[in-house]
Amino acid sequence: MTRTLRALAALALGSTVLAPFPGLAQAPAAASAPVPARTRVPELRVDSVFADVDGPTTPGCALSVMRGGAPVYERGYGMANLEHGIPITPHSVFHVASVSKQFTAMAVELLVNEGKVSWDDDVRTYVPEVPDFGTPLTLRHLVHHVSGIRDQWNLLGMAGWRWEADVVTQGDVLDITSRQTALNFPPGERYLYSNTGFTLLAVVVERVSGKTLREFAHERIFAPLGMDATHFHDDHEMIVRNRAWAYAPDPEGLFGLKGSIPDFDVVGATSLFTTAHDLAAWDRNFITGRVGGPGALERMQQRFVLSSGDSTAYGHGLTLGAHRGLRTVGHGGSDAGYRAQFLRFPDQDLTVATLCNFPAANPGARALRVAEAYLEDVMAPRPAASVPQTVAVQASELAEVVGVYRGDLPDQVYMVRLEGDTLRLGFGGGQPLLPLGGRRFASGSSVLTYHPGRGGVPAQLEMPGTGRARRVDSWVPPEEALREFEGIYASAELGTEYRLVMEGGGLVARHRKLDPAPLTPTFRDAFRLRGASAVFTRDASGRIEGFTISDGRVWNVRFRREAGGA
């Protein structure tokens, strides 16, 4: 894009142009993809969406806008490889992370079409390594993220695996899954995203078909659709032509960056390599049904009805949603420095694929802005920007909210602190809570409500999408009390151990591969550890016997005390 066109685009969109990539100076536009001489207004707007990354010293994004399954506008913005000065094009190959899931689901759909598997089959029929949890765990549960099975990445992280340092294989995921003794919740009770489910679906495809998912998908999906640059990447050492490298911020690195590449050989939940251009062929399949047929495509867009009667917003590897009154179907992805979004507006026959190679890319927001350039006239009016009207409150009212709160789920532990005259929610820095009056507080785009305790009922903090968390007594133990927790704790479910020791007046967790991490007291016998909640348990004599640890996708993993203590 010429400087004149760029200036016109910025003028047309005003403040909607995205902020530059942190730490990178703006540079002249790369000449990677010439702009058509007669650029239409939508395309002028589209280019402005990527103006912040359209330079020779920044990572960027590849874009494909499609109608009828055919590209109507494609461009690359920024650089695919900064070391060699290679620009991004629509044919650059990206790791698209969880965008992979819809392709894994289609692979299973093809086996369902042939009567080789059923979505209501127990996964243990094909993958006996999955423990018997005392209730059927079906392929349908896995594909909709309602299985309750613990997430592989969270488990591996707790076990000490280091991302971009330790190679993770399909066998590693099966091994740690086989060690689990419980689910997060009974299958079908609630929705909770779990990558493990899609890795297991990939194993089902491999064992039923006798081919790797990479081989099966190439033969049955990618080759028939002409997706010649697409494959499931099951060998992290394999050379891939036209690959876009991924980056992450590094203040000391050239251009303020460092390389950030996934090094795992796990497929199903992730590891699809594709291009923005190839995804047009996949989009076309939603129209023609050449692969899978109408039945499979319909099943992929069905919601799951939970035991409560509520429906989820997730189909078979596809997120089902809406934007400004228009129905959307798609999926995003995030691994290491890669970010991706595949977004369809099926009723308007418009699809946007945005594949990026830096963490702050936010391809989902960019894809929506690209879609708005084409569909603005049929979209509902943009919601008016809401600026919270804060009010002045007495310091005593703020102090009343301070404390530790526990939700119904094991990972839901919240802390409200008062710093000066500002309430903050969270551990460490925390999110400001801005008073709105009536014991309501703005936190980002959400509004929280504080309910004082009455009649023996503890005070509660009501949060959108989370429910009410009850206040519990905070706990600030003296150093001598913390020594009671020292010792070696082992988890058979993770195949690892932590050593808790006193250092610098506080309790610290040591692991043979991870950096030491402090344990921050929350409520009695409970701590925060690397963003998770660790709750210690005692035997009948009051002696500490172990702890459970929970985070967003893994609940109540057990550690037993092996040594230490009186």
Side-chain angles (χ1 to χ4, degrees):
M1 181 188 294
T2 66
R3 293 173 184 256
T4 301
L5 286 177
R6 189 188 309 282
L8 288 172
L11 181 62
L13 289 182
S15 62
T16 64
V17 176
L18 295 177
F21 180 49
L24 299 184
Q26 283 297 98
S32 57
V35 179
R38 300 179 64 186
T39 304
R40 298 193 301 274
V41 171
E43 292 160 353
L44 184 66
R45 287 186 59 184
V46 166
D47 286 341
S48 74
V49 172
F50 301 91
D52 60 313
V53 296
D54 193 14
T57 60
T58 67
C61 303
L63 169 73
S64 180
V65 182
M66 312 155 218
R67 276 195 154 139
V72 296
Y73 190 59
E74 291 186 326
R75 270 207 65 184
Y77 306 88
M79 305 304 289
N81 189 295
L82 288 165
E83 290 179 295
H84 300 288
I86 300 172
I88 291 173
T89 77
H91 298 275
S92 298
V93 176
F94 288 78
H95 171 114
V96 294
S98 289
V99 174
S100 311
K101 288 180 170 67
Q102 59 201 289
F103 296 91
T104 303
M106 177 56 85
V108 179
E109 295 285 8
L110 295 176
L111 296 177
V112 170
N113 282 349
E114 296 169 356
K116 294 180 178 179
V117 303
S118 165
W119 283 111
D120 294 315
D121 288 343
D122 192 320
V123 66
R124 298 188 72 249
T125 303
Y126 311 104
V127 194
E129 294 94 328
V130 176
D132 183 355
F133 295 111
T135 184
L137 191 62
T138 69
L139 306 189
R140 191 182 306 277
H141 290 139
L142 299 176
V143 79
H144 284 287
H145 296 299
V146 298
S147 67
I149 200 162
R150 293 164 171 166
D151 189 273
Q152 62 194 41
W153 302 126
N154 299 53
L155 288 171
L156 290 166
M158 289 178 178
W161 294 75
R162 300 161 299 183
W163 312 132
E164 303 175 49
D166 295 325
V167 175
V168 181
T169 68
Q170 211 91 334
D172 295 323
V173 174
L174 284 178
D175 174 72
I176 203 163
T177 300
S178 72
R179 295 173 176 271
Q180 303 310 299
T181 60
L183 298 169
N184 287 332
F185 50 81
E189 182 180 274
R190 63 175 65 240
Y191 170 90
L192 184 63
Y193 197 90
S194 175
N195 287 285
T196 312
F198 276 79
T199 299
L200 294 176
L201 291 175
V203 176
V204 171
V205 172
E206 293 170 357
R207 293 185 178 177
V208 172
S209 70
K211 300 176 181 179
T212 66
L213 180 62
R214 175 177 176 165
E215 294 167 338
F216 184 89
H218 172 76
E219 178 183 312
R220 301 292 302 276
I221 302 174
F222 305 141
L225 295 180
M227 299 174 69
D228 299 331
T230 302
H231 71 276
F232 271 106
H233 197 69
D234 54 11
D235 178 1
H236 73 283
E237 294 180 327
M238 173 186 164
I239 295 173
V240 178
R241 293 178 62 87
N242 298 323
R243 185 200 305 210
W245 208 247
Y247 300 91
D250 179 2
E252 298 180 0
L254 184 63
F255 307 122
L257 297 166
K258 64 179 179 180
S260 181
I261 303 295
D263 60 354
F264 41 75
D265 294 339
V266 178
V267 296
T270 183
S271 295
L272 185 76
F273 274 36
T274 191
T275 70
H277 181 78
D278 262 15
L279 286 172
W282 176 242
D283 179 56
R284 185 161 54 252
N285 192 63
F286 282 90
I287 301 168
T288 67
R290 177 175 180 179
V291 170
L297 291 168
E298 181 180 352
R299 290 191 297 269
M300 287 182 70
Q301 298 177 66
Q302 290 176 345
R303 300 170 186 265
F304 186 89
V305 180
L306 300 170
S307 55
S308 65
D310 295 333
S311 295
T312 70
Y314 197 93
H316 292 194
L318 291 166
T319 300
L320 312 173
H323 178 66
R324 293 180 59 186
L326 305 183
R327 184 167 66 97
T328 60
V329 177
H331 213 293
S334 171
D335 272 335
Y338 290 105
R339 300 293 184 270
Q341 181 70 47
F342 176 76
L343 183 66
R344 304 188 70 242
F345 288 79
D347 300 328
Q348 288 71 39
D349 188 23
L350 184 89
T351 299
V352 181
T354 310
L355 314 183
C356 307
N357 60 343
F358 64 98
N362 199 348
R366 293 181 196 262
L368 289 174
R369 288 180 54 198
V370 169
E372 288 171 347
Y374 290 88
L375 301 177
E376 188 78 51
D377 57 338
V378 295
M379 287 182 168
R382 189 187 304 277
S386 153
V387 179
Q389 297 298 310
T390 60
V391 299
V393 298
Q394 297 292 326
S396 59
E397 291 185 51
L398 298 178
E400 182 185 8
V401 186
V402 170
V404 177
Y405 298 80
R406 294 187 70 182
D408 293 331
L409 304 181
D411 65 310
Q412 293 177 338
V413 180
Y414 311 98
M415 178 177 284
V416 178
R417 297 174 294 106
L418 184 60
E419 290 187 358
D421 59 356
T422 302
L423 283 176
R424 291 189 175 274
L425 174 67
F427 299 87
Q431 176 81 21
L433 295 180
L434 307 178
L436 304 177
R439 293 193 171 93
R440 297 165 61 249
F441 298 86
S443 176
S445 59
S446 300
V447 175
L448 283 61
T449 304
Y450 171 73
H451 300 274
R454 290 191 181 90
V457 177
Q460 300 177 49
L461 198 60
E462 185 176 357
M463 294 173 278
T466 301
R468 293 192 179 192
R470 296 166 297 283
R471 184 156 62 196
V472 295
D473 291 337
S474 57
W475 184 49
V476 185
E479 181 175 339
E480 190 57 36
L482 289 175
R483 293 192 180 280
E484 182 183 11
F485 295 87
E486 289 187 299
I488 297 174
Y489 298 80
S491 171
E493 291 183 293
L494 301 178
T496 197
E497 66 180 31
Y498 291 170
R499 182 165 57 93
L500 305 189
V501 297
M502 288 295 298
E503 293 182 3
L507 196 62
V508 172
R510 287 193 166 273
H511 184 277
R512 67 184 184 87
K513 293 173 66 175
L514 302 176
D515 292 336
L519 281 84
T520 304
T522 53
F523 54 92
R524 183 164 182 80
D525 289 349
F527 301 81
R528 294 294 289 180
L529 173 60
R530 292 194 178 92
S533 176
V535 180
F536 286 76
T537 56
R538 297 175 182 267
D539 61 21
S541 67
R543 181 179 181 274
I544 293 171
E545 60 181 3
F547 66 88
T548 60
I549 190 166
S550 305
D551 65 14
R553 295 179 181 175
V554 167
W555 301 347
N556 295 322
V557 172
R558 182 72 182 164
F559 278 78
R560 293 180 59 85
R561 193 176 200 169
E562 300 292 324

mmCIF file of all heavy atoms in Angstrom, residues 192-210:
data_model
loop_
_atom_site.group_PDB
_atom_site.id
_atom_site.type_symbol
_atom_site.label_atom_id
_atom_site.label_comp_id
_atom_site.label_asym_id
_atom_site.label_seq_id
_atom_site.Cartn_x
_atom_site.Cartn_y
_atom_site.Cartn_z
ATOM 1 N N LEU A 192 -16.130 -27.603 29.648
ATOM 2 C CA LEU A 192 -14.804 -27.133 30.040
ATOM 3 C C LEU A 192 -13.819 -27.600 28.979
ATOM 4 O O LEU A 192 -13.621 -28.798 28.778
ATOM 5 C CB LEU A 192 -14.400 -27.663 31.414
ATOM 6 C CG LEU A 192 -13.060 -27.133 31.946
ATOM 7 C CD1 LEU A 192 -13.118 -25.614 32.149
ATOM 8 C CD2 LEU A 192 -12.673 -27.818 33.249
ATOM 9 N N TYR A 193 -13.215 -26.646 28.300
ATOM 10 C CA TYR A 193 -12.322 -26.914 27.175
ATOM 11 C C TYR A 193 -11.201 -27.865 27.595
ATOM 12 O O TYR A 193 -10.534 -27.644 28.599
ATOM 13 C CB TYR A 193 -11.741 -25.594 26.699
ATOM 14 C CG TYR A 193 -11.128 -25.588 25.326
ATOM 15 C CD1 TYR A 193 -11.899 -25.291 24.211
ATOM 16 C CD2 TYR A 193 -9.781 -25.852 25.140
ATOM 17 C CE1 TYR A 193 -11.332 -25.245 22.945
ATOM 18 C CE2 TYR A 193 -9.208 -25.815 23.875
ATOM 19 C CZ TYR A 193 -9.988 -25.510 22.785
ATOM 20 O OH TYR A 193 -9.427 -25.474 21.525
ATOM 21 N N SER A 194 -11.007 -28.934 26.824
ATOM 22 C CA SER A 194 -9.960 -29.903 27.136
ATOM 23 C C SER A 194 -9.297 -30.389 25.854
ATOM 24 O O SER A 194 -9.923 -31.073 25.035
ATOM 25 C CB SER A 194 -10.533 -31.105 27.888
ATOM 26 O OG SER A 194 -9.530 -32.088 28.080
ATOM 27 N N ASN A 195 -8.026 -30.038 25.697
ATOM 28 C CA ASN A 195 -7.271 -30.491 24.530
ATOM 29 C C ASN A 195 -7.092 -31.996 24.512
ATOM 30 O O ASN A 195 -6.967 -32.602 23.443
ATOM 31 C CB ASN A 195 -5.905 -29.800 24.516
ATOM 32 C CG ASN A 195 -6.001 -28.335 24.134
ATOM 33 O OD1 ASN A 195 -6.192 -27.989 22.980
ATOM 34 N ND2 ASN A 195 -5.901 -27.461 25.120
ATOM 35 N N THR A 196 -7.071 -32.616 25.686
ATOM 36 C CA THR A 196 -6.879 -34.063 25.755
ATOM 37 C C THR A 196 -7.914 -34.793 24.913
ATOM 38 O O THR A 196 -7.603 -35.797 24.256
ATOM 39 C CB THR A 196 -6.981 -34.535 27.219
ATOM 40 O OG1 THR A 196 -6.173 -33.707 28.046
ATOM 41 C CG2 THR A 196 -6.556 -35.978 27.358
ATOM 42 N N GLY A 197 -9.153 -34.315 24.945
ATOM 43 C CA GLY A 197 -10.214 -34.985 24.198
ATOM 44 C C GLY A 197 -9.905 -35.109 22.719
ATOM 45 O O GLY A 197 -10.168 -36.148 22.098
ATOM 46 N N PHE A 198 -9.329 -34.066 22.134
ATOM 47 C CA PHE A 198 -9.051 -34.103 20.693
ATOM 48 C C PHE A 198 -7.790 -34.903 20.381
ATOM 49 O O PHE A 198 -7.674 -35.478 19.295
ATOM 50 C CB PHE A 198 -8.985 -32.686 20.141
ATOM 51 C CG PHE A 198 -10.337 -32.141 19.807
ATOM 52 C CD1 PHE A 198 -11.165 -31.644 20.803
ATOM 53 C CD2 PHE A 198 -10.819 -32.162 18.511
ATOM 54 C CE1 PHE A 198 -12.429 -31.164 20.517
ATOM 55 C CE2 PHE A 198 -12.079 -31.684 18.203
ATOM 56 C CZ PHE A 198 -12.894 -31.183 19.209
ATOM 57 N N THR A 199 -6.840 -34.952 21.310
ATOM 58 C CA THR A 199 -5.713 -35.856 21.115
ATOM 59 C C THR A 199 -6.198 -37.296 21.115
ATOM 60 O O THR A 199 -5.760 -38.120 20.288
ATOM 61 C CB THR A 199 -4.656 -35.645 22.217
ATOM 62 O OG1 THR A 199 -4.168 -34.298 22.143
ATOM 63 C CG2 THR A 199 -3.489 -36.607 22.049
ATOM 64 N N LEU A 200 -7.132 -37.620 22.001
ATOM 65 C CA LEU A 200 -7.692 -38.971 22.040
ATOM 66 C C LEU A 200 -8.484 -39.274 20.773
ATOM 67 O O LEU A 200 -8.446 -40.407 20.262
ATOM 68 C CB LEU A 200 -8.580 -39.134 23.275
ATOM 69 C CG LEU A 200 -7.853 -39.076 24.624
ATOM 70 C CD1 LEU A 200 -8.846 -39.147 25.772
ATOM 71 C CD2 LEU A 200 -6.815 -40.189 24.737
ATOM 72 N N LEU A 201 -9.199 -38.297 20.232
ATOM 73 C CA LEU A 201 -9.914 -38.518 18.968
ATOM 74 C C LEU A 201 -8.938 -38.816 17.838
ATOM 75 O O LEU A 201 -9.220 -39.644 16.959
ATOM 76 C CB LEU A 201 -10.768 -37.295 18.628
ATOM 77 C CG LEU A 201 -11.970 -37.036 19.539
ATOM 78 C CD1 LEU A 201 -12.655 -35.724 19.149
ATOM 79 C CD2 LEU A 201 -12.962 -38.189 19.477
ATOM 80 N N ALA A 202 -7.777 -38.153 17.848
ATOM 81 C CA ALA A 202 -6.757 -38.450 16.837
ATOM 82 C C ALA A 202 -6.273 -39.891 16.972
ATOM 83 O O ALA A 202 -6.060 -40.584 15.965
ATOM 84 C CB ALA A 202 -5.582 -37.488 16.973
ATOM 85 N N VAL A 203 -6.102 -40.365 18.200
ATOM 86 C CA VAL A 203 -5.673 -41.751 18.424
ATOM 87 C C VAL A 203 -6.749 -42.715 17.937
ATOM 88 O O VAL A 203 -6.440 -43.761 17.350
ATOM 89 C CB VAL A 203 -5.349 -41.978 19.916
ATOM 90 C CG1 VAL A 203 -5.010 -43.440 20.172
ATOM 91 C CG2 VAL A 203 -4.190 -41.083 20.351
ATOM 92 N N VAL A 204 -8.029 -42.368 18.142
ATOM 93 C CA VAL A 204 -9.119 -43.203 17.636
ATOM 94 C C VAL A 204 -9.023 -43.337 16.123
ATOM 95 O O VAL A 204 -9.133 -44.443 15.564
ATOM 96 C CB VAL A 204 -10.483 -42.617 18.045
ATOM 97 C CG1 VAL A 204 -11.620 -43.349 17.329
ATOM 98 C CG2 VAL A 204 -10.676 -42.703 19.556
ATOM 99 N N VAL A 205 -8.826 -42.221 15.428
ATOM 100 C CA VAL A 205 -8.697 -42.260 13.966
ATOM 101 C C VAL A 205 -7.544 -43.168 13.559
ATOM 102 O O VAL A 205 -7.678 -43.996 12.638
ATOM 103 C CB VAL A 205 -8.488 -40.836 13.404
ATOM 104 C CG1 VAL A 205 -8.155 -40.883 11.910
ATOM 105 C CG2 VAL A 205 -9.727 -39.978 13.650
ATOM 106 N N GLU A 206 -6.416 -43.041 14.233
ATOM 107 C CA GLU A 206 -5.242 -43.825 13.876
ATOM 108 C C GLU A 206 -5.472 -45.314 14.086
ATOM 109 O O GLU A 206 -5.097 -46.149 13.243
ATOM 110 C CB GLU A 206 -4.044 -43.335 14.684
ATOM 111 C CG GLU A 206 -3.610 -41.922 14.296
ATOM 112 C CD GLU A 206 -2.582 -41.319 15.238
ATOM 113 O OE1 GLU A 206 -2.235 -41.978 16.246
ATOM 114 O OE2 GLU A 206 -2.128 -40.197 14.964
ATOM 115 N N ARG A 207 -6.120 -45.686 15.193
ATOM 116 C CA ARG A 207 -6.277 -47.106 15.498
ATOM 117 C C ARG A 207 -7.377 -47.759 14.683
ATOM 118 O O ARG A 207 -7.297 -48.946 14.375
ATOM 119 C CB ARG A 207 -6.512 -47.273 17.001
ATOM 120 C CG ARG A 207 -5.263 -46.877 17.786
ATOM 121 C CD ARG A 207 -5.372 -47.121 19.269
ATOM 122 N NE ARG A 207 -4.111 -46.746 19.921
ATOM 123 C CZ ARG A 207 -3.902 -46.781 21.230
ATOM 124 N NH1 ARG A 207 -4.888 -47.181 22.041
ATOM 125 N NH2 ARG A 207 -2.731 -46.426 21.732
ATOM 126 N N VAL A 208 -8.398 -46.988 14.325
ATOM 127 C CA VAL A 208 -9.472 -47.560 13.514
ATOM 128 C C VAL A 208 -9.072 -47.640 12.044
ATOM 129 O O VAL A 208 -9.361 -48.627 11.363
ATOM 130 C CB VAL A 208 -10.766 -46.725 13.683
ATOM 131 C CG1 VAL A 208 -11.838 -47.190 12.700
ATOM 132 C CG2 VAL A 208 -11.285 -46.848 15.113
ATOM 133 N N SER A 209 -8.379 -46.610 11.549
ATOM 134 C CA SER A 209 -8.024 -46.566 10.122
ATOM 135 C C SER A 209 -6.720 -47.286 9.808
ATOM 136 O O SER A 209 -6.468 -47.642 8.650
ATOM 137 C CB SER A 209 -7.908 -45.107 9.664
ATOM 138 O OG SER A 209 -6.760 -44.484 10.222
ATOM 139 N N GLY A 210 -5.866 -47.455 10.821
ATOM 140 C CA GLY A 210 -4.553 -48.040 10.578
ATOM 141 C C GLY A 210 -3.572 -47.061 9.971
ATOM 142 O O GLY A 210 -2.493 -47.454 9.537
#
